[in-house]
Amino acid sequence: FTLEFLLLWFAGERIYGITSLLRVAALSLQQRVRALAFAVQQRPPWISQEEVPMETSTISDAMLHIDEYTRTCEFALDLSGMRWLVLREPVLVVYLCTLKFLAAATITLAVPLFGPLRHLCLALCMAFDPAVPLCVGLCMVAPLGALLAAASQANREVAHQRFELRKSAELALETVLTSGKDIDDVEYVHLRVKACQALQAEVICWPGGRELGVAELVVLLVVSIVAVGAAVCAAVFEGSC
């Protein structure tokens, strides 16, 4: 009894540590969303207006405004960005392991439902109890879902601000053209490139460079729902036998 209690305590302590890691990462990303909202409030006024003011009458002034707003965002997002660089690899490992646990539980629970494959059920059940990976995976779903939702929200806000910067650059160009001033080709290209590359490094990505989006959250929810459905079907099937 003592060994079983110690085993349960050790497993629970490990699960608690992993979920705490996920909650820390989720809180860091939520803080990133709030920091980005603060940076939006501090942006230069002409970015949020439909028309560029007359004092912004040159390409150099437009680039200066873009640089100012980019530095404001980088300053506001620097802390959460450093935290994510430290946490993204453990989070990726937990995410992949959660999907594997749920998939293994789903396959093991679904095997008895197919007649020709019932002879494999005994071997799979002898290998491990499907309830174990199912419970471990479901323990990770809630903190992982909150983390992925916060990351997706942060990336959507960054994408929106990048769109606003590109639109602001177009407004600045139109203002210079309507004022009758000549546009230097080098400054024109430099403004376009600067507007397109602004805040590109502030996107939340996995270690391989893939941007986090809604797909990861949808996959997690679908796999968890399928695993729970397989468990319910397996319980009903065993009760009817």
Side-chain angles (χ1 to χ4, degrees):
F1 176 78
T2 304
L3 292 178
E4 293 178 355
F5 176 77
L6 291 176
L7 179 61
L8 290 175
W9 179 83
F10 178 77
E13 190 270 338
R14 290 295 90 192
I15 293 175
Y16 177 77
I18 295 173
T19 54
S20 298
L21 170 70
L22 297 177
R23 291 189 182 95
V24 168
L27 291 174
S28 176
L29 293 175
Q30 292 170 5
Q31 182 268 334
R32 185 180 184 85
V33 175
R34 296 186 179 93
L36 189 58
F38 169 79
V40 171
Q41 296 176 356
Q42 305 301 319
R43 63 186 176 184
W46 67 274
I47 294 181
S48 58
Q49 297 175 355
E50 295 182 357
E51 296 182 358
V52 181
M54 295 305 297
E55 58 267 19
T56 308
S57 58
T58 64
I59 301 298
S60 300
D61 293 335
M63 288 190 291
L64 183 61
H65 281 283
I66 293 177
D67 287 335
E68 179 183 353
Y69 182 49
T70 302
R71 287 194 298 268
T72 302
C73 291
E74 290 176 351
F75 176 78
L77 303 178
D78 182 66
L79 181 59
S80 59
M82 294 299 295
R83 289 171 177 169
W84 177 248
L85 288 177
V86 176
L87 296 173
R88 63 180 183 178
E89 292 183 0
V91 169
L92 178 60
V93 171
V94 175
Y95 178 72
L96 294 178
C97 289
T98 301
L99 294 181
K100 290 180 180 179
F101 285 156
L102 295 175
T106 302
I107 294 173
T108 306
L109 292 168
V111 164
L113 303 179
F114 301 94
L117 300 177
R118 287 182 181 177
H119 64 280
L120 297 176
C121 179
L122 180 61
L124 290 175
C125 291
M126 290 178 62
F128 64 93
D129 185 0
V132 175
L134 178 63
C135 292
V136 174
L138 292 178
C139 288
M140 306 297 171
V141 170
L144 264 178
L147 186 153
L148 295 175
S152 178
Q153 182 181 359
N155 283 343
R156 284 198 306 269
E157 185 60 30
V158 170
H160 177 69
Q161 295 306 315
R162 295 184 65 189
F163 173 77
E164 291 293 332
L165 285 175
R166 290 193 295 269
K167 186 171 67 174
S168 303
E170 295 293 336
L171 290 175
L173 290 173
E174 292 179 3
T175 302
V176 174
L177 289 175
T178 55
S179 64
K181 295 183 179 181
D182 295 332
I183 299 179
D184 184 68
D185 293 339
V186 176
E187 290 186 345
Y188 174 82
V189 174
H190 193 190
L191 177 61
R192 287 297 186 104
V193 172
K194 185 179 291 292
C196 291
Q197 293 181 350
L199 303 180
Q200 187 174 4
E202 305 304 328
V203 179
I204 297 295
C205 299
W206 290 117
R210 186 182 186 280
E211 179 181 342
L212 269 78
V214 185
E216 287 84 358
L217 180 60
V218 172
V219 170
L220 178 66
L221 294 178
V222 169
V223 173
S224 60
I225 292 174
V226 171
V228 173
V232 173
C233 293
V236 173
F237 177 79
E238 291 180 359
S240 62
C241 294

